[in-house]
Amino acid sequence: MRASIDACPQSAAGIPVLLSAVLNGEALFAWNHLAALALVCVGIYLVNRAPQERTNV
């Protein structure tokens, strides 16, 4: 199954998620999903931000 996911173009990567939500009757834009997305984005930003230079006072 992994090979089939890797073979998909990037534009088609979200289709399984959308199909899963539609078939399972899940809300795509519920507040808890949007909050989770925001927290993930903040976490990615914190991990990837450039380190600050240290200064001796």
Side-chain angles (χ1 to χ4, degrees):
M1 178 156 177
R2 179 141 174 88
S4 64
I5 292 173
D6 291 339
C8 290
Q10 290 297 331
S11 61
I15 292 175
V17 174
L18 293 175
L19 287 176
S20 173
V22 169
L23 294 175
N24 292 325
E26 299 173 352
L28 287 176
F29 298 108
W31 68 269
N32 55 347
H33 293 162
L34 294 175
L37 177 63
L39 289 173
V40 168
C41 290
V42 168
I44 291 172
Y45 170 77
L46 291 175
V47 168
N48 290 319
R49 67 182 177 167
Q52 298 177 359
E53 294 181 21
R54 295 182 180 215
T55 59
N56 293 332
V57 177

